[in-house]
Amino acid sequence: MPSILASRRRFLVQTATAVATTIIFFFNLSTPYYGGNDANTSNASTSFQALHRWQRQRLHQRNKTETSIIRTKCIDEIRKIHDEKLGEFIRKFKRDSSESDGHWNLLAQPTFHSNLGDTLLTEGEEVFFERQQFVHQMCLHYREWPAKNISHCPKHFENAIGNNLAFWQAGGNWGDLWPLPQKLRMNGVASLLKNNFTFVGMPQSLFYRSNATREHHTKLIKQNVLKGLGLSEFELNNSADAMSSVRERLIFTWREKSSFQIAKQLYPFAHNMIVPDIAFQMGEFHPKRPREDLLVDILLLLRNDQESNIGSRADEAVSLAIGSKNKTFRVADWDDRLQLFGDSNHLNVDTAVELLGLGKIVIVDRLHAGILSYLSGLDFIYIDNISQKLTKTLSTAFERREECHLWERADSLYNAIQQALEYLDNGGGNWGEEV
């Protein structure tokens, strides 16, 4: 057993290291930087690969006290960007009541379902609105959710007068992968603009597999904008005042630089902005150490749908990659926590954190599994989905914040497992001695 003096010396060395790093880090971040609307698109994958070796050293060598300080600062910086960019619209439309003389503030089409990533976006939006003291109503365009007491959006159109504000739900479903959300959004633009609402799309990713579908959707969106505002295409194309007025009423925000650059070409009539993923608004979580009978060396939270870029997520594939290493693992997805923890509420974020915490190292291919791991202080390795939205969203959120990159990236499930094994062999672990 180490002596009291040795333990005290070790504590002082760790504290001094953490303080020195924090001073340097705070100095580097003293002037907040963000790419802004005119930032050039960079090759996110290349930049992450260049940092890979440095990241691995950092995950192995940095203690939890140091990373906690850095993580807190990084998350706070993102929340400040939200406050600046999205808060601009709230300050313009802020009212004491959400139902005052026919004026409405809305969050349209919030999501509450078993894909926890979408629920985290709604939770992040609600935290943001609460911090902004923004009184609003949730509404759905296509069906009622009695359990959530969410109204039908057209109800708020009947007596709407003056200028009104509607935020549309964030997500990664702008494109042709998930047709229903896209259809609802395209139709929602027309109805909201027609009823004197300013439309603010919360941060999205844009991805189309079909160029023909992309062109078709672009025409529909433009037609719906013109229909909603009562303008002709000639007026929009030939009047600077008309274009300016449309951009004041139609705002699209993007959580990826590449999506932003594409959107500027497709939707020049909208005001396009770069804004980090809104789930970061939830702030930090502090998971507890899991039960020993549930703790595994490697927790793999992997999707099993059309966005997956992994050939097989079967236990056999994982076992083959681990080889002769004596390591335990669990392959899971969000709904598995319901049975594991006896929880009937698939909207429960706390059990999602608990699920991620079952691994000494976490491998994910869901964006919000990565973000929730980050918010929870859990070391993780990610594999991109087919649209590379993890790399694109994380690199945009932490623009020029290399110290914030507290994760690893792998280009395949096999390589992710090899990195996890290396991490564990070098003494890494979310539930190691240094916590």
Side-chain angles (χ1 to χ4, degrees):
M1 179 179 295
S3 66
I4 295 176
L5 182 60
S7 298
R8 188 172 297 166
R9 185 183 302 115
R10 181 169 176 268
F11 171 78
L12 290 173
V13 169
Q14 289 179 346
T15 303
T17 302
V19 170
T21 304
T22 304
I23 291 172
I24 294 170
F25 182 63
F26 278 24
F27 176 79
N28 289 339
L29 295 183
S30 58
T31 304
Y33 173 86
Y34 194 66
N37 293 349
D38 295 321
N40 293 325
T41 304
S42 62
N43 189 324
S45 297
T46 301
S47 65
F48 269 58
Q49 289 169 352
L51 291 168
H52 180 72
R53 180 174 297 176
W54 176 72
Q55 290 171 356
R56 183 187 299 122
Q57 285 182 327
R58 181 185 52 217
L59 285 182
H60 291 166
Q61 297 174 4
R62 187 174 273 164
N63 63 61
K64 292 294 183 181
T65 301
E66 186 179 340
T67 55
S68 296
I69 293 170
I70 293 173
R71 181 179 288 104
T72 299
K73 180 65 176 177
C74 296
I75 295 168
D76 286 347
E77 288 295 331
I78 290 179
R79 298 176 94 190
K80 288 177 184 176
I81 295 168
H82 291 147
D83 294 345
E84 174 191 345
K85 290 179 173 284
L86 297 174
E88 170 190 348
F89 306 106
I90 289 178
R91 289 185 288 273
K92 182 178 179 180
F93 286 87
K94 196 169 185 179
R95 298 183 253 275
D96 295 331
S97 170
S98 63
E99 193 172 357
S100 175
D101 300 325
H103 295 284
W104 293 96
N105 300 322
L106 301 178
L107 171 60
Q109 216 55 44
T111 47
F112 300 97
H113 52 70
S114 58
N115 178 9
L116 191 83
D118 291 330
T119 300
L120 294 180
L121 292 170
T122 304
E123 294 289 342
E125 289 162 343
E126 288 297 287
V127 171
F128 173 68
F129 293 148
E130 183 177 355
R131 291 179 63 238
Q132 296 287 324
Q133 298 182 335
F134 180 63
V135 182
H136 64 286
Q137 297 283 333
M138 290 185 181
C139 72
L140 294 165
H141 270 265
Y142 71 107
R143 62 178 173 179
E144 302 282 351
W145 286 66
K148 278 287 176 183
N149 195 28
I150 300 178
S151 63
H152 194 216
C153 289
K155 167 191 171 184
H156 305 288
F157 300 162
E158 297 171 1
N159 301 313
I161 61 173
N163 298 320
N164 304 279
L165 176 61
F167 287 93
W168 193 277
Q169 175 70 8
N173 50 33
W174 191 298
D176 56 5
L177 284 176
W178 306 103
L180 178 58
Q182 180 70 354
K183 180 180 178 180
L184 292 169
R185 183 169 37 242
M186 291 189 296
N187 293 337
V189 166
S191 61
L192 286 167
L193 292 177
K194 182 179 179 181
N195 288 279
N196 298 317
F197 282 86
T198 290
F199 182 105
V200 180
M202 293 297 258
Q204 273 281 347
S205 295
L206 187 155
F207 179 74
Y208 282 94
R209 291 172 295 186
S210 165
N211 289 333
T213 303
R214 186 176 72 174
E215 292 176 7
H216 176 60
H217 283 184
T218 301
K219 292 178 181 178
L220 283 178
I221 291 171
K222 187 175 184 179
Q223 289 172 5
N224 287 344
V225 169
L226 295 174
K227 178 181 176 182
L229 295 175
L231 291 173
S232 68
E233 187 164 1
F234 178 84
E235 290 175 299
L236 181 64
N237 293 337
N238 293 278
S239 169
D241 289 341
M243 181 67 77
S244 177
S245 66
V246 173
R247 287 175 176 167
E248 287 184 4
R249 295 278 306 280
L250 184 67
I251 299 93
F252 296 154
T253 68
W254 309 98
R255 63 189 185 186
E256 304 171 1
K257 276 189 176 182
S258 57
S259 292
F260 164 72
Q261 296 289 359
I262 295 170
K264 284 199 303 181
Q265 301 300 316
L266 298 179
Y267 321 119
F269 45 84
H271 177 33
N272 292 285
M273 301 169 60
I274 296 176
V275 179
D277 191 285
I278 197 66
F280 284 105
Q281 270 295 316
M282 292 187 298
E284 294 181 90
F285 291 84
H286 302 283
K288 297 179 181 179
R289 185 183 180 93
R291 287 171 16 205
E292 290 299 323
D293 61 317
L294 294 178
L295 184 64
V296 294
D297 293 310
I298 306 172
L299 187 283
L300 303 97
L301 196 145
L302 303 175
R303 66 191 316 137
N304 189 25
D305 59 21
Q306 61 182 330
E307 290 193 46
S308 174
N309 206 24
I310 295 173
S312 173
R313 63 194 293 277
D315 286 357
E316 292 78 10
V318 178
S319 295
L320 187 63
I322 291 176
S324 61
K325 296 278 189 178
N326 185 25
K327 300 297 181 184
T328 58
F329 69 90
R330 181 190 299 276
V331 180
D333 206 346
W334 291 127
D335 278 350
D336 292 311
R337 73 193 198 280
L338 304 182
Q339 182 177 355
L340 275 171
F341 307 126
D343 182 12
S344 60
N345 180 10
H346 63 252
L347 305 180
N348 190 340
V349 178
D350 291 336
T351 54
V353 174
E354 195 174 352
L355 176 63
L356 292 168
L358 296 183
K360 295 178 182 178
I361 182 67
V362 185
I363 296 175
V364 304
D365 68 348
R366 286 191 178 276
L367 171 61
H368 289 99
I371 289 178
L372 192 56
S373 295
Y374 193 95
L375 295 175
S376 303
L378 300 170
D379 291 338
F380 68 99
I381 300 166
Y382 77 81
I383 308 163
D384 262 317
N385 74 330
I386 61 171
S387 66
Q388 293 191 313
K389 69 181 177 184
L390 285 90
T391 292
K392 294 173 182 178
T393 301
L394 291 173
S395 63
T396 300
F398 298 109
E399 175 72 22
R400 296 191 181 180
R401 298 284 197 273
E402 293 180 359
E403 282 291 303
C404 299
H405 294 182
L406 304 174
W407 59 76
E408 291 271 11
R409 177 183 181 273
D411 57 10
S412 68
L413 179 59
Y414 179 85
N415 287 340
I417 292 171
Q418 299 313 304
Q419 291 178 32
L421 294 173
E422 181 183 355
Y423 169 85
L424 293 169
D425 288 344
N426 280 274
N430 287 321
W431 304 107
E433 292 183 358
E434 293 181 332
V435 293

